[in-house]
Amino acid sequence: MNNEEFRKSVKRTARRNFRRLTNEEMAMGNASSGLSGEAGELLDHIKKFLYHDVPLDMPKVKKELGDCRYYLTWLETILGFTAEEVQELNARKLQERYPEGFVPGGGNRASD
């Protein structure tokens, strides 16, 4: 497939008409995008440490973790969740998935 064929394929399936978003929906998009961006920045610091022999800059890592927490808390608030609810749900999911704790090499997953 050449570039022009691919471009036509994209145009055929890309959504062009969007409904008007509410302020809450705009905030949800902003918070989700912010969380994704900050997680990417955090990952970049870790990547440089692991694969590029760059010392781990703990103050920058801490800052990025704080930024992730900010956007996560904002998104939880928009959606009407508490951090405690989200943490409890995650802990139960992991207990079901890894009832004996995580074992490298598999055999861990009971369910998703």
Side-chain angles (χ1 to χ4, degrees), residues 9-63:
S9 173
V10 169
K11 285 177 77 173
R12 184 180 67 78
T13 58
R15 185 171 178 180
R16 290 179 287 280
N17 298 317
F18 292 91
R19 65 178 172 79
R20 191 167 209 72
L21 298 176
T22 66
N23 286 340
E24 186 172 81
E25 290 167 335
M26 292 287 288
M28 188 185 317
N30 191 347
S32 298
S33 299
L35 178 58
S36 178
E38 296 301 337
E41 289 184 35
L42 174 63
L43 180 59
D44 197 50
H45 290 293
I46 303 297
K47 176 199 73 169
K48 288 175 182 174
F49 169 69
L50 293 174
Y51 305 112
H52 299 272
D53 295 324
V54 173
L56 191 56
D57 187 333
M58 296 303 272
K60 285 184 179 177
V61 167
K62 186 184 273 188
K63 175 195 162 297

Side-chain angles (χ1 to χ4, degrees), residues 72-73 75-86:
L72 181 59
T73 300
L75 187 56
E76 288 169 341
T77 302
I78 292 164
L79 296 172
F81 303 145
T82 67
E84 292 80 8
E85 290 171 323
V86 172

